[in-house]
Amino acid sequence: MSIRIDGDKSGAVPDRVRRVLRGPRPEKVPSLVGAAVTLVGLLDIAAGVIPRFRHSRMHSLAEVLPGTFGPFAAAFSLTVGVLLLLLAHGLKRRKRRAWRSAVILLPVGALAQYIYRHSVIGVLIALALLALLLVHRREFAALPDPRSRWKALANFVLTTLGSIGLGLVIVSSHPKTIIGNPDFGDRLTHVLYGLVGFEGPIDYARQASWTVGYSLGALGWIIALTTVYLALRPEHPAARLTEEDEVRLRALLDRHGARDSLGHFALRHDKAAVFSPSGKAAVTYRVVSGVMLASGDPIGDVEAWPGAIERFMEEAKAHSWTPAVMGCSETGGEVWTRETGLDALELGDEAVVDVPDFSLSGRAMRNVRQMVKRIERNGYRTKVRRVGDLEPEELERIRRAAADWRGTETERGFSMALGRVGEPGDGDCFIATAHKAAEEGAPPGPYGDIKAVLHFVPWGSDGMSLDLMRRDRAADPGMNELLIVASLTAAPGLGIKKVSLNFAMFRSALARGEKLGAGPVLRGWRGLLVFLSRWFQIESLYKFNAKFQPRWEPRFVVFRTTRDLPRIGFAAMQAEGFVTLGLPRMFTRRSATQRTSRPCAHTDRPALERTA
């Protein structure tokens, strides 16, 4: 008997039928295995926590070895269950080390569960999962992530809290054998003592004391061993921009730097680069919390972009990193989505001012014009120069001022910030400074007469892109407006025809939501953005940019699936410096200038805070 499957007129089998015949797609296997391992881990934990059945085929053997066989099996089952839960995320990410550990732990957990609980179903589930892991072993080939000692600290804190909670369940799961009526404080004390291997204040009848003691001790060993492993495991270095890669990137920027205003930010030292096979294009990135974040468009020849993008995706697959692109242009987004099948979402707009069209005249520029004139009457003067034209002493004062006026303990910025001022090789950058002489009889400040600083990076041969804005809090308000106007006025003499200012996140939603006739959904979305602006300054950056009558260039985020967006958003906030995973402030030392400085106005932060 033959079965015929009808396809289309060409004889092709429909995709939905093909998927049924082949079963689950290989890329779905790690997710299914991770979920199944989570289930088995929970079963093993339940087997270790719930008292064993008193009537079973193994009961006679357990009686021969009182206090040893049963309690040890319970501790083994509990240990394996917790470790499997810890490995589940690594299996979902196709990590080879997680696969090896799971292959070892599953049969151990099955044996311990059968000895203690005599659960044939639990054993069969574990063995079926083991067989699935062995059959699909090639799917688990991802390399390890860069090592971080913070992971060891996070593991210690989280596993300790989880073990205390699980320990309270274990202590309370033998109510009929507890001697007396201990309160919550006694139970918590018993757990804490048990985690470090000591007997607590609670007494149990029969073998329950051994079972609880071994189980708590096993949890304590899990905390210690996993923390030590994460702290001392062989280092897999984090990606960094090498000197050779920097030279190659600068050569590409010399030839193709005019394509993207964010191109020069690829030279950040905390980014790595992958090049196309021809070497004519590159993608720079940083890995944050398992997300491989690229920024801006690929560098180099557009025709070579697909090769660099392919290398980027291969690297992401090799490590099982989540690929994402922050702040690419419309052209870049089209190439990324066409070559990779990823999706794109408009993130906001970049403010670009065409220098020949800029003027302070007219009603629209009245507020800026009046502010600039007022500041100039107060005795401020401005200078706009290339970094290479500055004297070393003045450059050092500017560098120190920019660092001390930062307003945050960490340097912010990733996709649209260079992260440095005046280092070797950056002589083609631009610096705008505001100066005011000290009052008669007053001592000079630590930075001379410098009151505010703007730093720009090159955008091809005839453009520049704003990097950071810093000012002395004691200076008059409007320093940033003054320096932007000064930079735009001086631009023709420097050969500059276009200037990229700040990035306005969700600008179009803010602009459309305040117009007459906006629908309830758009007004609600704008209301939410205005509310979030209390912390992320979304609306204020948009309004600040709009003062200079720029043209708006859309920027996009490229991602794989919608469910990856929260993770990508969190990683981007880490990369930009808005979320810092580190020790609490009370444990960190601060310099004298940092102790006395306070956060500045919204435009005093790095320009892409721009992504606020």
Side-chain angles (χ1 to χ4, degrees):
M1 178 179 178
S2 62
I3 300 177
R4 180 176 178 270
I5 301 177
D6 292 330
D8 56 18
K9 294 182 179 180
S10 62
V13 178
D15 289 340
R16 63 182 183 276
V17 177
R18 188 181 295 110
R19 287 195 294 267
V20 172
L21 294 178
R22 292 183 307 189
R25 291 179 295 178
E27 60 268 22
K28 296 293 185 181
V29 170
S31 297
L32 295 175
V33 169
V37 166
T38 301
L39 174 62
V40 174
L42 293 174
L43 289 175
D44 286 338
I45 291 174
V49 171
I50 300 173
R52 64 188 179 89
F53 296 149
R54 300 297 301 170
H55 302 286
S56 64
R57 290 173 294 175
M58 301 297 294
H59 178 68
S60 58
L61 182 57
E63 290 295 331
V64 176
L65 300 172
T68 302
F69 192 78
F72 264 134
F76 269 125
S77 183
L78 180 65
T79 302
V80 172
V82 173
L83 291 176
L84 286 176
L85 288 182
L86 296 176
L87 291 173
H89 180 65
L91 289 170
K92 291 180 180 179
R93 297 185 58 206
R94 307 169 182 267
K95 295 299 182 180
R96 189 66 177 179
R97 290 181 178 178
W99 179 87
R100 292 171 178 168
S101 301
V103 168
I104 295 173
L105 288 173
L106 281 171
V108 175
L111 179 62
Q113 187 170 162
Y114 182 73
I115 291 174
Y116 190 61
R117 286 287 307 278
H118 323 302
S119 172
V120 177
I121 295 179
V123 172
L124 292 178
I125 292 176
L127 294 180
L129 181 56
L130 176 63
L132 186 64
L133 283 172
L134 294 175
V135 170
H136 294 280
R137 58 186 178 276
R138 293 182 180 178
E139 295 293 325
F140 301 89
L143 300 174
D145 291 340
R147 189 191 70 169
S148 172
R149 286 190 173 90
W150 292 118
K151 291 184 179 179
L153 177 61
N155 175 83
F156 175 78
V157 173
L158 294 177
T159 53
T160 299
L161 294 176
S163 297
I164 291 174
L166 189 56
L168 289 173
V169 175
I170 294 172
V171 168
S172 304
S173 63
H174 302 75
K176 295 182 180 180
T177 60
I178 295 179
I179 299 176
N181 187 26
D183 57 16
F184 178 80
D186 292 332
R187 295 171 190 266
L188 180 60
T189 303
H190 195 87
V191 171
L192 296 177
Y193 275 53
L195 292 178
V196 293
F198 294 99
E199 292 186 7
I202 300 178
D203 293 324
Y204 294 87
R206 301 190 295 275
Q207 296 183 13
S209 178
W210 292 92
T211 302
V212 172
Y214 283 141
S215 299
L216 294 177
L219 291 175
W221 274 106
I222 290 175
I223 296 172
L225 292 178
T226 56
T227 302
V228 170
Y229 168 74
L230 291 173
L232 302 179
R233 64 179 174 173
E235 182 174 1
H236 185 72
R240 288 292 184 271
L241 192 67
T242 65
E243 293 184 4
E244 179 184 356
D245 288 344
E246 184 174 351
V247 171
R248 297 175 67 184
L249 287 174
R250 287 186 182 275
L252 292 177
L253 288 171
D254 289 341
R255 294 193 296 269
H256 307 282
R259 289 189 178 277
D260 188 12
S261 62
L262 310 186
H264 200 86
F265 299 125
L267 299 178
R268 285 179 64 102
H269 292 159
D270 57 358
K271 291 182 179 180
V274 289
F275 290 84
S276 65
S278 64
K280 295 182 179 181
V283 175
T284 58
Y285 68 92
R286 188 199 301 176
V287 178
V288 183
S289 297
V291 177
M292 191 175 181
L293 276 175
S295 59
D297 292 345
I299 307 300
D301 189 353
V302 174
E303 294 184 358
W305 284 7
I309 291 173
E310 183 179 0
R311 289 285 179 87
F312 175 88
M313 297 301 293
E314 289 175 353
E315 188 77 6
K317 183 178 180 181
H319 293 268
S320 192
W321 291 329
T322 300
V325 186
M326 299 296 297
C328 66
S329 68
E330 188 169 1
T331 300
E334 290 175 352
V335 177
W336 273 101
T337 55
R338 183 184 69 237
E339 297 295 328
T340 63
L342 301 179
D343 203 353
L345 180 68
E346 185 173 337
L347 188 62
D349 294 272
E350 176 187 13
V352 178
V353 178
D354 294 314
V355 174
D357 300 332
F358 177 76
S359 174
L360 281 178
S361 61
R363 183 177 180 83
M365 298 296 296
R366 182 179 61 180
N367 291 337
V368 176
R369 182 173 62 250
Q370 291 176 348
M371 179 178 291
V372 169
K373 289 182 177 180
R374 176 180 56 80
I375 296 173
E376 289 176 342
R377 286 196 300 267
N378 289 342
Y380 288 90
R381 56 190 178 87
T382 60
K383 297 179 182 178
V384 182
R385 296 158 288 175
R386 288 187 182 270
V387 171
D389 297 334
L390 295 172
E391 294 296 329
E393 295 80 7
E394 184 179 9
L395 179 60
E396 179 59 27
R397 288 198 303 271
I398 292 173
R399 186 186 292 115
R400 287 190 292 108
D404 293 343
W405 294 338
R406 185 169 59 211
T408 57
E409 295 190 12
T410 57
E411 185 72 54
R412 289 184 172 179
F414 163 68
S415 54
M416 303 182 190
L418 189 60
R420 61 182 186 264
V421 176
E423 290 192 7
D426 294 335
D428 53 350
C429 294
F430 303 87
I431 282 185
T433 51
H435 305 260
K436 184 180 182 181
E439 296 181 2
E440 186 175 353
Y447 318 112
D449 62 352
I450 300 174
K451 299 301 179 182
V453 176
L454 262 61
H455 186 256
F456 296 85
V457 299
W459 174 11
S461 60
D462 62 350
M464 59 184 185
S465 185
L466 182 58
D467 175 27
L468 62 81
M469 297 184 286
R470 305 282 165 80
R471 71 172 178 89
D472 186 352
R473 283 192 60 83
D476 291 354
M479 288 291 101
N480 297 305
E481 288 88 340
L482 172 68
L483 287 181
I484 288 178
V485 170
S487 301
L488 293 171
T489 304
L494 298 170
I496 301 301
K497 299 179 181 178
K498 53 188 178 181
V499 178
S500 170
L501 298 179
N502 291 311
F503 173 79
M505 179 175 282
F506 303 122
R507 181 205 66 86
S508 59
L510 288 169
R512 293 198 303 267
E514 63 183 356
K515 289 184 177 179
L516 182 66
V521 175
L522 191 55
R523 289 200 302 269
W525 174 225
R526 182 184 181 277
L528 176 61
L529 293 177
V530 172
F531 175 76
L532 294 176
S533 295
R534 299 180 181 181
W535 298 276
F536 298 105
Q537 302 174 356
I538 300 172
E539 185 185 29
S540 56
L541 279 175
Y542 158 54
K543 290 184 176 180
F544 178 82
N545 293 335
K547 291 180 180 180
F548 304 97
Q549 302 299 306
R551 57 181 170 89
W552 300 101
E553 297 289 341
R555 291 279 173 175
F556 299 83
V557 56
V558 178
F559 56 96
R560 184 168 51 192
T561 61
T562 304
R563 64 175 176 271
D564 288 337
L565 284 176
R567 184 179 182 187
I568 293 171
F570 183 73
M573 294 181 69
Q574 287 180 264
E576 297 288 354
F578 293 101
V579 176
T580 303
L581 301 181
L583 290 174
R585 183 176 298 182
M586 66 182 69
F587 297 109
T588 59
R589 298 181 62 185
R590 302 174 64 190
S591 65
T593 54
Q594 286 177 317
R595 285 194 296 269
T596 57
S597 65
R598 297 174 61 189
C600 303
H602 71 278
T603 51
D604 297 333
R605 300 180 180 177
L608 233 181
E609 202 161 350
R610 299 172 134 199
T611 56

